[in-house]
Amino acid sequence: RKEVEQDPGPFNVPEGATVAFNCTYSNSASQSFFWYRQDCRKEPKLLMSVYSSGNEDGRFTAQLNRASQYISLLIRDSKLSDSATYLCVPGTQGAQKLVFGQGTRLTINP
Amino acid sequence: NAGVTQTPKFRILKIGQSMTLQCTQDMNHNYMYWYRQDPGMGLKLIYYSVGAGITDKGEVPNGYNVSRSTTEDFPLRLELAAPSQTSVYFCASSYPSSSGGSYEQYFGPGTRLTVT
């Protein structure tokens, strides 16, 4: 089983819609989680860090389910500017490296 | 506070040439990383460093070398460029958690390298 698995998409949703995608991780020792967004041909940028059961920042909500080993990202009232690839990254205590998922590609349509 | 900076932004190399990709961070982060990303693919770790004088191989180190003489700088060296090294190269840095693990990483803008 891969350390991180994400549905690559693409997800095509209309502007204003709510969209959610999941990320599953295999290492039960993962304790922190990061969501990054990556625009085409640009560097990944940190969107959100999750250290407990979840986090919310404006229109973005991350929820962690440790029992089932997945973390979800919910985007409400989606904007055209939300179009990007979203990378899920679990962090493991003591691990000096992060494992980046392949990402989920999201396109918001006008 | 510039964060992570990389130079050059673009470079075209001929097969067999060598070059150094520069990476500097001004956040006093102990940990630094080099990744490559091929078109449509995910990030692959090339090398990383947990402090000055300490480096370790990642997933795809062949054909590359690194050094870390200061906290701020982590250059990546390509000795004999090959077409398979055509990629976008990202440098990243982070500070360590209390357990020694990596906290969130911050990325530079990348270097786009073409080897022909």
Side-chain angles (χ1 to χ4, degrees):
Chain A
R1 184 181 171 185
K2 286 185 180 178
E3 287 194 68
V4 185
E5 291 197 74
Q6 295 184 253
D7 183 341
F11 284 59
N12 290 285
V13 301
E15 192 176 6
T18 295
V19 59
F21 27 86
N22 286 344
C23 163
T24 57
Y25 60 95
S26 61
N27 190 342
S28 58
S30 298
Q31 297 200 332
S32 53
F33 299 85
F34 312 108
W35 280 103
Y36 284 79
R37 68 167 284 164
Q38 186 175 24
D39 295 298
C40 188
R41 299 173 65 80
K42 298 282 190 180
E43 74 273 25
K45 291 187 176 175
L46 183 67
L47 178 68
M48 189 177 292
S49 302
V50 181
Y51 296 106
S52 57
S53 60
N55 197 0
E56 184 172 330
D57 184 3
R59 298 181 294 108
F60 298 84
T61 300
Q63 287 188 314
L64 175 62
N65 185 320
R66 290 190 188 275
S68 300
Q69 292 187 208
Y70 74 84
I71 183 165
S72 62
L73 180 67
L74 178 81
I75 305 174
R76 289 182 297 277
D77 186 25
S78 53
K79 313 288 184 194
L80 296 176
S81 57
D82 293 334
S83 296
T85 296
Y86 290 83
L87 308 175
C88 167
V89 188
T92 302
Q93 189 173 17
Q96 296 161 342
K97 300 176 283 186
L98 295 179
V99 179
F100 286 79
Q102 286 275 98
T104 296
R105 190 171 165 194
L106 174 67
T107 300
I108 307 298
N109 301 307
Chain B
N1 197 339
V4 181
T5 56
Q6 292 183 240
T7 57
K9 285 191 170 65
F10 305 93
R11 185 71 186 269
I12 298 174
L13 280 182
K14 293 188 177 176
I15 295 170
Q17 286 185 321
S18 60
M19 76 165 292
T20 299
L21 283 67
Q22 301 291 346
C23 175
T24 300
Q25 53 91 10
D26 62 0
M27 297 176 281
N28 203 30
H29 285 170
N30 293 77
Y31 293 0
M32 294 187 76
Y33 306 83
W34 274 106
Y35 297 90
R36 60 175 287 173
Q37 187 174 38
D38 299 331
M41 304 297 286
L43 295 166
K44 292 185 179 177
L45 182 65
I46 306 171
Y47 269 98
Y48 68 103
S49 168
V50 298
I54 306 168
T55 62
D56 211 342
K57 294 178 181 179
E59 184 185 354
V60 290
N62 291 344
Y64 307 94
N65 276 303
V66 292
S67 60
R68 184 99 181 270
S69 56
T70 67
T71 299
E72 295 78 19
D73 301 304
F74 190 39
L76 177 72
R77 179 86 178 157
L78 282 72
E79 289 295 349
L80 289 169
S84 60
Q85 293 177 304
T86 294
S87 192
V88 181
Y89 292 84
F90 292 109
C91 179
S93 71
S94 76
Y95 52 89
S97 67
S98 56
S99 69
S102 173
Y103 271 146
E104 49 270 283
Q105 295 178 10
Y106 295 89
F107 285 79
T111 294
R112 281 159 185 74
L113 176 67
T114 302
V115 182
T116 62

